[in-house]
Amino acid sequence: MSDIQPKSPIISPQRRQLLKLGVLTGASGAVAIATANAGKVLAAGRPNPKADIEIINGAIQLEQRAVNTYMAAAENKLLPTKAFLDVAVQFAQDHTNHRDRLKRVVSQVFKGEPAGTENLGTFPIPKNVLTGGEAEVLRYALTLEMIASKAYLDFITNKLTSEGAKNVAATIMPVESMHAAVFRTVLMAVLNEKGLPMDDKIVPHSFLSEEPTPPVPVA
């Protein structure tokens, strides 16, 4: 990969703005979205549309933050290698499609009000992502995609109560997991870099439930 740019300790004005944006969103906001309704215990087998709407609305904002983060990385040229940038842009489109499908489920299936997605900002962006090379950016993306995969798994297995809600989550979850697998392969097989701190092999675990959940990044 001869076109991979070397690491630079200089933070440009654009990257300072991106860092500021990440700080403003706050890690707590990302945690709240990724674990929407985590504290609620729902009666087994009893549909709870109100709780399902709340969880799906959290997922809508999770997807919008993912879009914002990918696009901010692209606009700030954090991925100078064209192939990596192309993947990030296409993944951002996946997250846009997920957001829109989730909104339709809330409005059409549950007759509710979808969550707003304006002014959400990005996920928290650590300084090492802004000042490091592409491997740091890809590892950060891997972290976010793995958190999203595990969040959807939790929604399906522990939180959502109706078939309509579970079905849409079940169609999104494997795509998030595939995103994570792509980033892991690029990091470990293409760039010969490490993956997540808890990764002990180059391929994903046999079951998504066995994948360690990385901590939410802190700006």
Side-chain angles (χ1 to χ4, degrees), residues 29 55 82 109 146 162 200 203 211:
I55 292 168
K82 185 179 184 301
V109 176
M146 183 53 63
S162 60
D200 58 2
V203 298
E211 292 282 351

Side-chain angles (χ1 to χ4, degrees), residues 119-155:
N119 303 316
L120 286 176
T122 67
F123 285 106
I125 304 173
K127 288 183 180 180
N128 67 303
V129 174
L130 297 174
T131 59
E134 284 185 305
E136 291 292 347
V137 178
L138 295 173
R139 192 173 297 108
Y140 171 69
L142 169 57
T143 298
L144 296 182
E145 295 289 0
M146 183 53 63
I147 290 172
S149 301
K150 297 298 290 289
Y152 278 108
L153 178 63
D154 192 37
F155 296 162

Side-chain angles (χ1 to χ4, degrees), residues 21-215:
L21 180 61
V23 170
L24 287 175
T25 63
S28 59
V31 173
I33 292 171
T35 58
N37 254 6
K40 291 193 174 183
V41 178
L42 304 176
R46 183 181 302 171
N48 188 331
K50 183 177 179 180
D52 284 356
I53 290 173
E54 188 174 346
I55 292 168
I56 295 174
N57 273 337
I60 288 170
Q61 294 191 329
L62 177 82
E63 297 289 353
Q64 184 62 56
R65 282 185 190 262
V67 173
N68 294 348
T69 304
Y70 273 121
M71 298 316 296
E75 291 165 5
N76 285 269
K77 297 179 172 53
L78 298 186
L79 290 170
T81 300
K82 185 179 184 301
F84 299 165
L85 177 61
D86 288 346
V87 167
V89 171
Q90 290 178 46
F91 283 1
Q93 185 60 54
D94 287 345
H95 290 296
T96 299
N97 294 339
H98 296 168
R99 177 202 66 196
D100 293 345
R101 176 70 64 84
L102 291 165
K103 284 187 173 184
R104 287 198 296 273
V105 168
V106 171
S107 61
Q108 297 176 12
V109 176
F110 291 101
K111 311 302 179 185
E113 183 68 28
T117 54
E118 298 296 323
N119 303 316
L120 286 176
T122 67
F123 285 106
I125 304 173
K127 288 183 180 180
N128 67 303
V129 174
L130 297 174
T131 59
E134 284 185 305
E136 291 292 347
V137 178
L138 295 173
R139 192 173 297 108
Y140 171 69
L142 169 57
T143 298
L144 296 182
E145 295 289 0
M146 183 53 63
I147 290 172
S149 301
K150 297 298 290 289
Y152 278 108
L153 178 63
D154 192 37
F155 296 162
I156 296 166
T157 56
N158 297 318
K159 296 183 175 65
L160 293 172
T161 65
S162 60
E163 288 303 310
K166 289 181 180 180
N167 287 343
V168 68
T171 65
I172 293 173
M173 180 189 68
V175 177
E176 310 284 7
S177 183
M178 285 189 289
H179 288 180
V182 167
F183 287 130
R184 176 188 279 108
T185 299
V186 171
L187 277 168
M188 302 178 74
V190 177
L191 298 181
N192 293 317
E193 288 272 353
K194 62 181 180 180
L196 296 176
M198 63 285 295
D199 282 336
D200 58 2
K201 57 182 182 176
I202 196 168
V203 298
H205 286 262
S206 301
F207 302 96
L208 181 57
S209 58
E210 295 177 353
E211 292 282 351
T213 304

